[in-house]
Amino acid sequence: MRLASICILAVWLVAVVFGRWLGMSPNHIDLNAILQLPDARHWLGTDDLGRDILARVLHGVEVSLSVAMMVTVITMAIGVSIGLLAGTLGGRLDSNLMRLTDVFLAFPGMLLAIAFAAVLGAGINNLMLALCMTGWVSYARLSRGQALALRARPHVLAAFSLGAGPVRVMYRHVLPLMLSLLLVEATYSMASVMIAEASLSFLGLGIQPPQASWGAMLRDAVRFMLVAPHYVLAVGFCMMSLILAINLGGDWLRDRLDVRSEGQL
Amino acid sequence: MIKRLMALFPVLFGVLLITFALLHLVPGDPVDVMLGESASQADRTVLRETLGLNQTLPEQFAHYLQQLLQGDLGLSIQTRTPITQLLIQAYPATLALAATALIIGVLVGVPLGIASALKAGGWLDILVTLFSIRLAAMPAFWLGPVLMLIFAIWLGWLPVSGMDSPVAIILPALTLGLGLSAILTRMTRISLLEVLNEDYIRTARAKGLSEQAVMFKHALRAALLPLVTIIGLQMGSLLAGAVITETIFSWDGIGKLLVESIEKRDYPVTQACVLVVSLSYVLVNLCTDLLYRWLDPRTRGAG
């Protein structure tokens, strides 16, 4: 499992670097060669404008991964800060913040992100904004649970009684103990942000043409499914392999770092 | 029980507040965005008036709540039909889709999970685990087209899209249900394995009960209980997944209505769809909570 995950990730890395190095052009239009089946020149065939699908997939990976990384880092920073604050300080602030997360959790899955992206307007920045506005909640929940469990630890009590302020205690004494859990969580959330980004782009709310993105490519591919099934299959398999590899990597990290589930520290 | 119901109010209020705020998140003037640059001044004034945008924010929110209580969600900007009517037309389709997907998810996921837990480490277990993680990595907008390609285009067994015949529900429901079944398989397996390690299972075996009686009378009952909560929570991804699935299969439900309203910038409809789907989700989770309390003798009558 671990080997498979590493192999897939390595293949992707090499492919992206080589794609750059070979100067593959994801936006080169060739109307004489539209929707062609895979051949020696176009390994995954061409799309409805004669663009090379492989080049576009590779470009899409870069976009997808960078969006996923940015969103994960931002949502984690916001969510963990809020969760730590609530968990360490407790009291009124805690119950109010948790009530806020309850409200966000009352919206099913991606729905709120779709709604935010819809009203903010399409585009990569608004897409990330929409994903950040909804993504912090799970981190806030997770880190609050951890902070509550860690608050009773002797070293935290000692830090408090030595006169350390709550912010210092939060970042110096509570946060380091939950880093491995957050790392595992971040890996899984990379995969889910990638799916979310692709979903929004699929609905036309995310990355705009001509920039390549998996969601937008799948949207086009579905339109041409009758005449060119290789298009939808190629893009889908690429996407699935990467998401699978990231999730398997997360599983491996979880076992390796021996992270137990919430509140069991 | 009463506490659980009381906790509902702040959540509902928050949901309403966020749905209300959606219209105000539109960058610039929502009226310009909805009507476009070429709209006449008179049209703009009328729309601003009907949306109540010239009132103060608290006034607007109060007005919004008041209208909601009367079951009035306003008019669609594009078609001038009452939004309530659009929702009433679309809701049963989404409900049917979600219910069918749920049935598929449970019928596929739970037996597979039980089978793989009973033979943990065996070839069936490995096969099922591989199958379920692969499925979990297949989002609706990829699984849907693949199913469509295989069963509708290549094999020609089922209609490609639309909802003209009763069998048309199979593909969209499979798209949603298989994803759910992957999660339920994993959860059933974990839950059952945990229960089988409990002391009371050993006691049941020690007192000479047959393996069947141990399974059906003791283990399964306890193992399947947490699934009620998980299914409730998964309804969230099911409902959100319905947005994409309905779009792919031209299924005239709330999800398709939502996507169309976004494309036409018919924001009042967008707002209403988000609200209805979220309220359904809140309701489903309330029901699963109550059901859990009723099913589990340990929590019955508590809280």
Side-chain angles (χ1 to χ4, degrees):
Chain A
M1 286 289 203
R2 173 181 41 159
L3 201 68
S5 156
I6 292 172
C7 286
I8 299 173
L9 289 176
V11 167
W12 274 110
L13 192 72
V14 170
V16 170
V17 172
F18 261 84
R20 285 240 145 156
W21 183 59
L22 288 172
M24 291 172 108
S25 44
N27 292 324
H28 176 72
I29 294 174
D30 180 2
L31 293 178
N32 288 320
I34 59 168
L35 295 173
Q36 279 188 347
L37 283 172
D39 57 24
R41 228 180 112 225
H42 303 289
W43 289 4
L44 293 178
T46 58
D47 72 356
D48 51 308
L49 291 174
R51 294 172 294 197
D52 185 52
I53 293 179
L54 182 62
R56 289 183 71 71
V57 164
L58 291 180
H59 187 72
V61 182
E62 278 183 57
V63 177
S64 190
L65 277 178
S66 46
V67 168
M69 248 177 235
M70 292 266 283
V71 172
T72 303
V73 168
I74 296 172
T75 49
M76 192 151 91
I78 299 174
V80 169
S81 303
I82 290 178
L84 278 179
L85 208 63
T88 318
L89 294 179
R92 257 281 197 42
L93 179 83
D94 181 30
S95 60
N96 284 337
L97 281 174
M98 284 309 110
R99 215 162 266 175
L100 186 68
T101 58
D102 277 343
V103 170
F104 273 83
L105 289 173
F107 289 93
M110 287 260 316
L111 188 75
L112 199 56
I114 293 176
F116 281 147
V119 292
L120 289 169
I124 193 164
N125 290 332
N126 285 339
L127 168 93
M128 292 205 285
L129 189 59
L131 291 176
C132 288
M133 280 163 88
T134 51
W136 61 272
V137 184
S138 55
Y139 284 111
R141 281 278 168 162
L142 183 73
S143 46
R144 175 197 176 247
Q146 291 292 309
L148 277 184
L150 291 170
R151 196 166 61 171
R153 287 266 183 112
H155 79 280
V156 176
L157 293 177
F160 267 126
S161 57
L162 283 171
V167 175
R168 187 184 162 84
V169 172
M170 262 165 55
Y171 286 104
R172 298 276 321 225
H173 301 285
V174 177
L175 185 61
L177 288 182
M178 46 194 271
L179 276 183
S180 53
L181 182 69
L182 287 175
L183 187 67
V184 173
E185 197 59 27
T187 316
Y188 289 128
S189 102
M190 282 279 290
S192 61
V193 171
M194 281 169 72
I195 292 181
E197 179 266 311
S199 306
L200 289 175
S201 299
F202 183 83
L203 292 173
L205 293 169
I207 293 156
Q208 294 299 297
Q211 194 174 22
S213 100
W214 287 357
M217 287 175 79
L218 273 171
R219 180 189 170 91
D220 287 343
V222 170
R223 286 199 351 245
F224 296 102
M225 210 160 66
L226 270 176
V227 280
H230 71 274
Y231 190 3
V232 71
L233 291 178
V235 179
F237 271 117
C238 291
M239 185 167 164
M240 193 173 76
S241 71
L242 187 55
I243 288 171
L244 198 62
I246 294 179
N247 275 333
L248 287 177
D251 287 350
W252 173 70
L253 261 183
R254 187 189 55 200
D255 297 342
R256 186 74 206 265
L257 298 172
D258 193 23
V259 175
R260 277 155 291 181
S261 55
E262 192 169 346
Q264 281 187 325
L265 265 175
Chain B
M1 177 87 145
I2 291 164
K3 217 174 147 194
R4 176 68 178 83
L5 288 176
M6 289 301 281
L8 209 58
F9 284 103
V11 169
L12 283 180
F13 185 78
V15 168
L16 288 170
L17 198 63
I18 290 184
T19 349
F20 165 76
L22 278 180
L23 190 61
H24 299 272
L25 280 173
V26 177
D29 187 348
V31 172
D32 281 349
V33 176
M34 280 186 269
L35 290 182
E37 297 284 311
S38 56
S40 73
Q41 199 54 47
D43 282 348
R44 282 164 200 250
T45 323
V46 170
L47 181 59
R48 190 155 296 154
E49 199 95 328
T50 36
L51 291 178
L53 287 176
N54 38 17
Q55 294 166 310
T56 61
L57 279 179
E59 267 173 18
Q60 285 184 40
F61 187 54
H63 186 66
Y64 178 68
L65 289 184
Q66 199 188 350
Q67 281 200 313
L68 264 185
L69 285 177
Q70 293 166 353
D72 178 12
L73 288 158
L75 294 178
S76 152
I77 294 170
Q78 297 290 332
T79 57
R80 314 297 303 158
T81 19
I83 295 174
T84 323
Q85 201 184 320
L86 291 175
L87 291 176
I88 291 174
Q89 277 168 9
Y91 199 78
T94 301
L95 202 63
L97 185 59
T100 318
L102 184 65
I103 294 170
I104 293 176
V106 173
L107 285 186
V108 175
V110 175
L112 278 184
I114 295 174
S116 75
L118 288 183
K119 299 262 185 294
W123 60 269
L124 184 73
D125 183 30
I126 294 169
L127 209 67
V128 166
T129 310
L130 279 177
F131 163 78
S132 62
I133 49 178
R134 203 133 299 172
L135 262 183
M138 276 181 109
F141 54 87
W142 157 231
L143 184 59
V146 168
L147 289 176
M148 195 195 267
L149 197 61
I150 297 174
F151 293 103
I153 297 176
W154 287 345
L155 295 173
W157 290 350
L158 295 162
V160 174
S161 61
M163 37 201 304
D164 301 326
S165 64
V167 287
I169 200 172
I170 296 177
L171 286 184
L174 268 181
T175 306
L176 283 173
L178 286 181
L180 179 68
S181 78
I183 292 157
L184 289 183
T185 306
R186 289 175 96 169
M187 291 299 172
T188 310
R189 180 177 179 274
I190 294 169
S191 172
L192 189 56
L193 282 179
E194 227 162 66
V195 169
L196 287 176
N197 274 328
E198 295 273 351
D199 289 342
Y200 66 82
I201 296 295
R202 199 169 24 166
T203 311
R205 281 190 180 136
K207 73 183 182 190
L209 281 186
S210 70
E211 196 57 23
Q212 265 180 342
V214 173
M215 274 324 280
F216 287 99
K217 282 210 159 138
H218 297 275
L220 279 182
R221 264 187 76 177
L224 296 185
L225 211 50
L227 289 185
V228 175
T229 313
I230 290 165
I231 290 173
L233 290 173
Q234 284 303 319
M235 281 307 280
S237 1
L238 207 62
L239 288 168
V243 175
I244 287 165
T245 312
E246 287 179 5
T247 311
I248 295 172
F249 290 98
S250 303
W251 187 262
D252 287 314
I254 301 275
K256 190 162 163 256
L257 188 66
L258 173 73
V259 172
E260 280 171 358
S261 77
I262 291 170
E263 276 161 6
K264 293 178 189 153
R265 300 180 185 243
D266 200 342
Y267 293 134
V269 179
T270 311
Q271 254 179 324
C273 290
V274 171
L275 183 67
V276 166
V277 176
S278 309
L279 290 185
S280 315
Y281 182 49
V282 171
L283 201 67
V284 166
N285 274 319
L286 178 70
C287 290
T288 49
D289 256 24
L290 297 181
L291 187 68
Y292 188 92
R293 269 159 216 244
W294 181 70
L295 285 175
D296 190 347
R298 284 165 298 189
T299 53
R300 202 177 290 163

